[in-house]
Amino acid sequence: MSARAIPEATVQRLPVYLRILVDMAGRSTTTISSEALAASAGVNSAKVRKDLSFLGSYGTRGVGYDVDCLIHQISRALGLTHDWSTAIVGLGNLGQALAHYGGFAQRGFRIAALLDVDRDLVGQRMAGLEVLHVDEIERVVKEEEIAIGILAVPERSAQEVADRMVAAGIGSILNFAPTLLSVPDHVSLRKVDLSIELQVLSFYEQRRQAEATLGERGQHGERGEQPEPT
Amino acid sequence: MSARAIPEATVQRLPVYLRILVDMAGRSTTTISSEALAASAGVNSAKVRKDLSFLGSYGTRGVGYDVDCLIHQISRALGLTHDWSTAIVGLGNLGQALAHYGGFAQRGFRIAALLDVDRDLVGQRMAGLEVLHVDEIERVVKEEEIAIGILAVPERSAQEVADRMVAAGIGSILNFAPTLLSVPDHVSLRKVDLSIELQVLSFYEQRRQAEATLGERGQHGERGEQPEPT
DNA sequence: TCCTGTGAATTCGTTCACAGCC
DNA sequence: GGCTGTGAACGAATTCACAGGA
């Protein structure tokens, strides 16, 4: 059966499968089984088959999935068949690191604008772009058709900048500031919070040290599923 | 009923509650209800109560929770009552940004070492530390009792460095490289993958544009739960 | 024979709803 | 009266297990 409503959990795994498949294609592999893909992705093969079945029936029984076909189907499902423009707001250490990170462009996310409040930064060139003042955000979002705003500003200004992004018409925000943002229902929001990651690791680290006696599970976190140490 | 086995999903939310509570304490708030905490955390109050109940019964019926008490209990549960030492391996754009990010130390995660393979970087000072060659990792992990390794190396060397961290005795790894790592069961692993975040946003962005007609849900992702735009 | 696709069973997480205590 | 703590109901995600096509 084809599509309609891909579950949240599946959406999060599709990019992982995609990366593996692109890698496979680069090695001239033409076909892959759910078992092999599952091993690379660190999940169980039934999950892979169920996930892929939400895209439609693109496998061949007794054989597996055609790598190129799957790449195409996943890309289509994720909306990666065309590029998206992004803007980075906040060019501190993290914002600059993001601006220079090549992995975005490579995966179809064009960094179309860099913005900051700091008058010393505005006007400078960075990663091939001129840094704009954050007050230009409304204009830039419209002119460059920015779909995704990347927020790398300090905690205290995060909400204000987010509000301006939303007002300017941005539909998706990736927030690196360690704060909870409020956005209207029609805006998608994801956050990356380094201290939360460390604190979660701390929990398991502590538990391991506290026990230091029983054999316990060691793979933790919805983001941390991993394959066998094979 | 007291503790034993805090669910994964709860562990991920405790740091969020903790941040809000610390903020509250800074504003001299002494007591908070599950309803208020839930509103700040962007979740529902039953979830807050259930989450907190895994730590024990520290609330007062008719009143709420004592802020300082909760801070203490959550910190204890997360293993934050003592500091943890971390090491950052890979000092490209991202590694440098992490090295200079103040939020770690502030939350009890001491950056005890910076390592890289690049001979030009080794020996330089950065964020108050001398950059060491990655070959020193075994010695440093032992001498500095590094608990958490932060991996900001390129994809191709991530597995190798992870293996060396594990061999050196590190129990937790936070991986920023866009690759799936294999580690033994007794090692905790979490990853932060920027392109996955963007691709998930792309999915919802595309769906929104494709529909552009029905009123649909806008808040997505296990990391992206958010409160009302109140 | 091999591997997909998927109902059914199970596990995990969330939400409801209320008894019990302040 | 207000708010916690928690069984019970519900829903989502995972895994099992196998029917059915290549």
Side-chain angles (χ1 to χ4, degrees), chain B residues 20-205:
Chain B
I20 294 162
L21 291 164
V22 168
D23 188 61
M24 290 285 172
R27 300 183 204 283
S28 323
T29 310
T30 59
T31 272
I32 190 171
S33 69
S34 62
E35 195 69 55
L37 185 48
S40 299
V43 299
N44 129 342
S45 68
K47 201 185 268 182
V48 169
R49 291 198 298 280
K50 187 140 280 189
D51 284 342
L52 296 180
S53 77
F54 290 111
L55 310 181
S57 290
Y58 297 108
T60 310
R61 289 162 202 239
V63 179
Y65 300 87
D66 179 80
V67 171
D68 289 334
C69 170
L70 263 197
I71 288 175
H72 179 255
Q73 294 304 331
I74 295 179
S75 297
R76 199 173 49 84
L78 291 175
L80 301 174
T81 45
H82 63 87
D83 286 8
W84 298 99
S85 291
T86 70
I88 300 177
V89 182
L91 299 167
N93 295 314
L94 181 60
Q96 291 194 27
L98 296 173
H100 289 103
Y101 174 57
F104 291 160
Q106 185 191 324
R107 289 188 174 80
F109 296 92
R110 192 175 73 91
I111 300 174
L114 304 175
L115 303 99
D116 203 295
V117 273
D118 185 345
R119 293 282 173 195
D120 292 342
L121 279 172
V122 172
Q124 282 191 27
R125 290 196 77 79
M126 185 183 294
L129 288 168
E130 187 188 338
V131 175
L132 304 176
H133 191 270
V134 74
D135 285 342
E136 306 237 46
I137 195 167
E138 286 81 5
R139 180 180 66 75
V140 168
V141 167
K142 269 151 206 153
E143 284 180 10
E144 300 282 345
E145 299 186 58
I146 307 287
I148 303 177
I150 299 175
L151 218 55
V153 301
E155 192 176 344
R156 64 182 175 284
S157 38
Q159 184 62 60
E160 186 202 323
V161 175
D163 291 344
R164 294 181 68 174
M165 283 179 168
V166 170
I170 275 185
S172 300
I173 295 177
L174 181 54
N175 178 31
F176 287 89
T179 187
L180 267 284
L181 295 180
S182 301
V183 297
D185 270 5
H186 62 87
V187 174
S188 300
L189 179 61
R190 294 184 65 82
K191 73 168 192 287
V192 173
D193 191 319
L194 307 182
S195 1
I196 289 181
E197 300 301 326
L198 289 176
Q199 290 175 11
V200 171
L201 287 174
S202 166
F203 172 81
Y204 292 106
E205 185 74 29

Side-chain angles (χ1 to χ4, degrees), chain A residues 39-155:
Chain A
S40 298
V43 299
N44 128 347
S45 67
K47 201 184 268 181
V48 169
R49 291 198 298 279
K50 187 140 281 185
D51 284 342
L52 296 181
S53 76
F54 290 111
L55 309 181
S57 291
Y58 297 109
T60 310
R61 289 162 201 238
V63 179
Y65 299 87
D66 179 80
V67 171
D68 289 334
C69 170
L70 264 197
I71 289 175
H72 180 255
Q73 294 303 331
I74 295 179
S75 296
R76 199 172 50 83
L78 290 175
L80 302 174
T81 45
H82 63 87
D83 286 7
W84 298 99
S85 290
T86 70
I88 300 176
V89 183
L91 298 167
N93 295 313
L94 181 61
Q96 292 195 28
L98 295 172
H100 288 104
Y101 174 56
F104 292 160
Q106 184 191 326
R107 291 188 171 80
F109 296 92
R110 191 174 74 92
I111 299 174
L114 303 176
L115 303 100
D116 202 294
V117 273
D118 184 347
R119 293 282 174 197
D120 291 342
L121 278 172
V122 171
Q124 282 190 26
R125 291 194 76 78
M126 186 182 297
L129 289 167
E130 187 188 337
V131 175
L132 304 175
H133 191 271
V134 74
D135 284 343
E136 306 237 46
I137 194 165
E138 286 81 5
R139 181 180 65 75
V140 168
V141 166
K142 269 153 204 148
E143 285 180 10
E144 300 281 344
E145 299 186 59
I146 307 286
I148 304 177
I150 299 175
L151 218 54
V153 301
E155 191 176 346

Side-chain angles (χ1 to χ4, degrees), chain A residues 12 28 31 48 80 138 142 159 161 164 166 195 220 228:
Chain A
Q12 314 239 4
S28 323
T31 271
V48 169
L80 302 174
E138 286 81 5
K142 269 153 204 148
Q159 183 63 59
V161 175
R164 295 180 67 174
V166 170
S195 4
H220 306 293
E228 253 55 64

